[in-house]
Amino acid sequence: MQVKRGLAEMLKGGVIMDVVNPEQAKIAEDAGACAVMALERVPADIRRDGGVSRMSDPEMIEGIKAVTTIPVMAKARIGHFVEAQILQALGVDYVDESEVLTPADEAHHIDKYAFTVPFVCGATNLGEALRRISEGACMIRSKGEAGTGNIVEAVRHLRSILGDIRKITQADSAELFQWAKVLQAPLPLVQEIAETGKLQVPLFCAGGIATPADAALAMQLGAEAVFVGSGIFKSNDPAPRARAIVEATTHFRDADILAKVSRGLGAPMTGIGMDDTTKFAERGW
Amino acid sequence: MSASIVGVLALQGAFVAHERALRSVGASTLQVRISADLDKVQALVMPGGESTTMSKLLVSSGLFDVLADRLHDGLPVFGTCAGMILLATEVLDGREDQRSLGAIDVSVRRNGYGRQVDSFETDIPVTGLSNPFHAVFIRAPKVERLGAGVEVLAECEGVPVLAREGSVTVASFHPELTPDARLHEQFLRHHHII
C-alpha cells in the first residue's frame, strides 16, 4: 500500500498536465510538469463534440510514454474495470477513474484494491472522497468542471471537502456517527479524520484551472497539487503558460513571484459559464 | 539544545512527509523555496518527487548556485530518490537540460528500477541500525557507479541504496513514507544537529 500511495506523495506541489499527443507531452515535460495525463481529447473538446468518450487508444498512450521520462497517467471510465486492466497492462503509472469520460456503470465504481497500479478519483464533497478511498483510491482530486476554464466549481468542491474536515475535527464521538450517516461514508474513515484532521490520501485540485493565479488559489485553499486540463493547450501560447503555472504552484504563497510569472502570457482559454453546461461533476456515485 | 533549523527543499515532491519525520525526532524545520529560506537553515533534506521539475525550479528560483555554494561549504544534506539524483555527479537517462549539483560522487540512473508498476518495498539492513529498515522504492533511481570516497550504508540485492560522502547522504528509497524516522535521526545525529 505504501508503494501505491507513495507516488501521490511524489507528485505533491506539482502540476499534472493533460496532453493529447507526444508533441504536447514534450512541451509539458519541458515546462516542468511532474506528470502528464494522456488522453485523446482535452475536456473542452469532449464537451464540444459530445458523444461517448472512452479510454484512449493504447497506441497513443504508448506514443506519449515513449517520449516522456516523467510519470504518465491515463483515464478509464467510471466503473469500466476492463479499461483499467488494459491501462495497467500498458504500464501507465496512474489510472484516473474519471467523470470526464462517459460512465460505464451507473451504480459501481472500480474495485481499486484489485489493481497494483494506483488510482486517482474525483470528488465534489467529503462523502464522495471517502467512498472512493474506501474503494482503494490512492489520491483524491476535486472534480471541478473540466473543460470550462472556470475555477468556480473546483473552489466549491475544495471548500466543501476541507470545510467538512475542519468541522469533523470539532465533532464529539457521538456526532461522528451522524457525520458518517450524512456523508454516506464508512465510519472508521470519518473517525480517522476526526483524529488526524486530513484525508488519508493526498487531495489535489482539478477542473477549471486556466491561470497561474487559479493554481495558487487552489493551493492556498489546501490542495496539495494541481491538474491542468484544457487550460494549457487551449490557450494562445501553451509553453509559457505551462511554465508559469508550474512556478505558481511551487511559490503559491509568494505574491511577488505570482505577479511576475502571470505577466504577458497571452490569452487564456476562453472560459464558459456554468448555466448551460453539462455537469461532468454529477457523474459518480 | 541548539536553534538549528533543518530545511526541507519544498519546490515539489514529498517535502511535507519529510518535515513530519524530522519533527518526530525533535528537529525544527523550514520549507525552502527561495535563497532567503536557505540562508536560515543549518542542514537540508532534498525530497523525492520529479527531479526534472525540481531541476528547473532550482534554476528559476535562483537556488541552484546558492545551494551549490552551501554544499561546497559542507552543508549537511540528505537527498532521497529525486533528491539523490539532484546531488549526484552523473545522471543517466536524465533530460539533456537536467542539472545536478555534483555533491556526491555517484552515477545514478533515473527510473533505474522501472516505472510505477515495478515499484516495491522491502526490508534492508542498514549500517548503524540494530534492526532492518522498511524501504519503499517508487520509480526509484539506481546507483550504477560509486566514487572511492563514498561509504555504502545499505544495499538491496547487491546494489547500494543508501550512501554517504562527507556531508552528503543519499537514498534511492523513501524513508519519509513510513512512520520509522530512524534514518532521519541517524542523519541529524551524525551531523550533531540533534
Side-chain angles (χ1 to χ4, degrees), chain A residues 162-218:
Chain A
L162 293 162
D164 278 353
I165 289 175
R166 285 187 281 269
K167 286 178 205 155
I168 286 173
T169 61
Q170 302 300 311
D172 72 17
S173 57
E175 287 167 338
L176 295 180
F177 295 97
Q178 174 66 6
W179 269 107
K181 213 167 6 174
V182 170
L183 293 173
Q184 299 178 53
L187 178 65
L189 292 181
V190 175
Q191 289 168 326
E192 189 185 320
I193 284 177
E195 229 167 79
T196 64
K198 55 196 275 302
L199 290 181
Q200 59 171 249
V201 304
L203 174 64
F204 289 13
C205 177
I209 291 175
T211 68
D214 289 346
L217 175 66

Side-chain angles (χ1 to χ4, degrees), chain A residues 136-148:
Chain A
C138 291
M139 179 203 300
I140 296 296
R141 54 169 176 77
S142 65
K143 285 182 179 170
E145 237 351 285
T148 62

Side-chain angles (χ1 to χ4, degrees), chain A residues 1-7 9-15 26 29-35 65 68-72 88 91-94 116-118 198 246-247 250-252 254 257 260, chain B residues 10-17 20 31 33-34 47-50 52-53 56-57 60-61 81 93-95 97 110-111 115-117 119-121 134 136-139 174 176-179:
Chain A
M1 207 57 200
Q2 283 306 325
V3 162
K4 272 177 83 175
R5 289 205 173 163
L7 182 57
E9 293 290 327
M10 302 311 134
L11 299 170
K12 281 184 178 177
V15 183
K26 285 307 285 179
E29 186 178 317
D30 288 347
C34 66
K65 271 177 61 194
T68 53
T69 63
I70 60 179
V72 175
Q88 177 168 287
V92 304
D93 297 297
Y94 237 94
T116 53
V117 66
K198 55 196 275 302
V246 169
E247 295 283 339
T250 292
H251 301 287
F252 66 96
D254 192 327
I257 293 181
K260 194 173 117 201
Chain B
L11 298 172
Q12 194 272 320
F15 50 88
V16 174
R20 192 166 50 230
Q31 295 185 359
R33 290 188 175 84
I34 54 174
E50 183 42 55
T52 59
T53 302
K56 280 176 212 306
L57 288 163
S60 66
S61 65
C81 195
D93 288 346
R95 285 172 53 92
D97 61 351
R110 254 182 93 213
N111 303 333
R115 303 187 72 95
Q116 174 62 14
V117 288
S119 295
F120 63 101
E121 47 196 313
H134 189 68
V136 181
F137 293 78
I138 294 176
R139 289 174 54 99
H174 293 282
E176 77 282 11
L177 290 185
T178 52

Side-chain angles (χ1 to χ4, degrees), chain A residues 208-216 228 231 241 245 248 262 265 268:
Chain A
I209 291 175
T211 68
D214 289 346
V228 185
R241 180 166 297 270
I245 292 177
S262 297
L265 296 177

